[in-house]
Amino acid sequence: MTIPNVKQLLNFTNKVVIVTGASSGIGAGIVQRFDEAGASVIAHANSNLDKAAALAAQCKAAHAVQADLTTEAGVATLLQAAVRIFGRVDVLINNAGIYPLHTLMDMSATNWDSVINANLRSAFLCTQAFARQIAAQSKDRKNENEIEIGAAIVNITSIEAENPAPMHSHYNASKGGLLMLTKAAANELAVHGIRVNAVAPGLIGRPGIEQDWPEGVQRWLKAAPLGRLGTPEDVADACLFLASSAARWITGISLTVDGGVMTHQIF
């Protein structure tokens, strides 16, 4: 195995990256950072294609694609578009999801299903389709006795995968499930040269959050050892690392990106 030059570790030139849920927030930040790193990017959106298209237009090599990732047909549309436009795929960032608020007592089955489908089912379907495409691309390995690790999946989970929040039982469950899917997929897909890891963000800032949720922001700032909210770029840079050759011997892990909030003693 050739050890890459340090200066090339975060160079994604000639790599094709799919980012789901890329119209705003964390997803948009991930698209921008991979674009800066030289990647060709598919910026996925479901209901906000205009925003994803505007983002893609600002990048050097990016295209916006609309698809409903809770359906197999929608996922096939996304993967086919990536291959048609760029000829291959190399990295999948499963970021798409929703996070509504419902108490457990008042939550309907429809509420539950919509979150599980958007956050967990979509990631499963995308992971499966991506892995099948990678397997098709990797039939001609130079050395059958050595697994050539050239593809990566990064799942965006949450610190709520391990530390539940009120009115978020459906979201907590979906992210906990995605964390275990990460580990299971890492175990099964390594033989195909695919590493699978997760990034677990804490509270990420957005325009107006201090006005919309002042008490929550203040609680966070008091709890965070590093003393600030996260940014989309904080999460994006963790994705860059895990998708890069710098993480070539890392698979099945969850990288917490939360300014240290989860370091607090819980009793």
Side-chain angles (χ1 to χ4, degrees):
M1 183 186 69
T2 302
I3 304 299
N5 184 285
V6 170
K7 293 181 180 179
Q8 294 299 312
L9 288 179
L10 298 184
N11 184 353
F12 282 84
T13 302
N14 299 323
K15 298 292 186 180
V16 178
V17 180
I18 298 174
V19 182
T20 70
S23 60
S24 63
I26 290 174
I30 294 171
V31 169
Q32 291 170 324
R33 295 299 263 184
F34 272 101
D35 174 66
E36 290 179 39
S40 298
V41 186
I42 293 291
H44 159 266
N46 186 12
S47 58
N48 292 307
L49 184 61
D50 290 347
K51 289 184 178 180
L55 174 65
Q58 299 171 12
C59 297
K60 292 184 288 291
H63 286 261
V65 176
Q66 190 279 331
D68 178 358
L69 301 184
T70 66
T71 69
E72 291 178 273
V75 171
T77 294
L78 179 64
L79 266 293
Q80 289 165 6
V83 174
R84 183 180 69 254
I85 294 167
F86 293 123
R88 59 180 293 114
V89 295
D90 297 283
V91 176
L92 169 66
I93 310 296
N94 279 316
N95 171 70
I98 58 176
Y99 43 94
L101 297 174
H102 298 99
T103 67
L104 187 60
M105 292 289 284
D106 294 332
M107 184 185 303
S108 69
T110 299
N111 296 146
W112 174 272
D113 289 344
S114 65
V115 174
I116 297 298
N117 288 340
N119 296 3
L120 185 55
R121 176 183 169 89
S122 67
F124 155 66
L125 291 175
C126 286
T127 296
Q128 184 182 67
F130 176 84
R132 287 171 175 171
Q133 176 60 32
I134 292 296
Q137 291 173 187
S138 305
K139 286 183 178 179
D140 300 324
R141 287 206 180 99
K142 294 180 181 178
N143 182 355
E144 293 183 358
N145 296 318
E146 180 180 345
I147 298 172
E148 188 174 311
I149 304 296
I153 299 172
V154 181
N155 295 321
I156 306 302
T157 59
S158 168
I159 58 172
E160 291 185 37
E162 301 180 79
N163 187 31
M167 299 185 72
H168 252 185
S169 59
H170 42 13
Y171 182 82
N172 300 154
S174 71
K175 293 302 185 177
L178 185 53
L179 174 59
M180 190 50 65
L181 175 63
T182 299
K183 295 177 180 293
N187 184 273
E188 289 194 34
L189 299 182
V191 69
H192 299 291
I194 304 170
R195 294 181 299 103
V196 189
N197 292 293
V199 172
L203 184 60
I204 304 301
R206 57 171 174 77
I209 191 172
E210 290 84 359
Q211 291 74 42
D212 296 341
W213 195 37
E215 69 282 2
V217 170
Q218 286 305 309
R219 288 201 311 272
W220 178 272
L221 294 176
K222 290 179 181 178
L226 294 184
R228 65 172 175 86
L229 302 184
T231 69
E233 291 78 12
D234 292 328
V235 180
D237 289 353
C239 293
L240 280 172
F241 165 65
L242 288 174
S244 77
S245 54
R248 59 191 173 274
W249 209 47
I250 299 173
T251 195
I253 67 102
S254 176
L255 177 57
T256 301
V257 181
D258 71 344
V261 164
M262 291 287 281
T263 65
H264 282 282
Q265 187 176 5
I266 61 173
F267 61 90

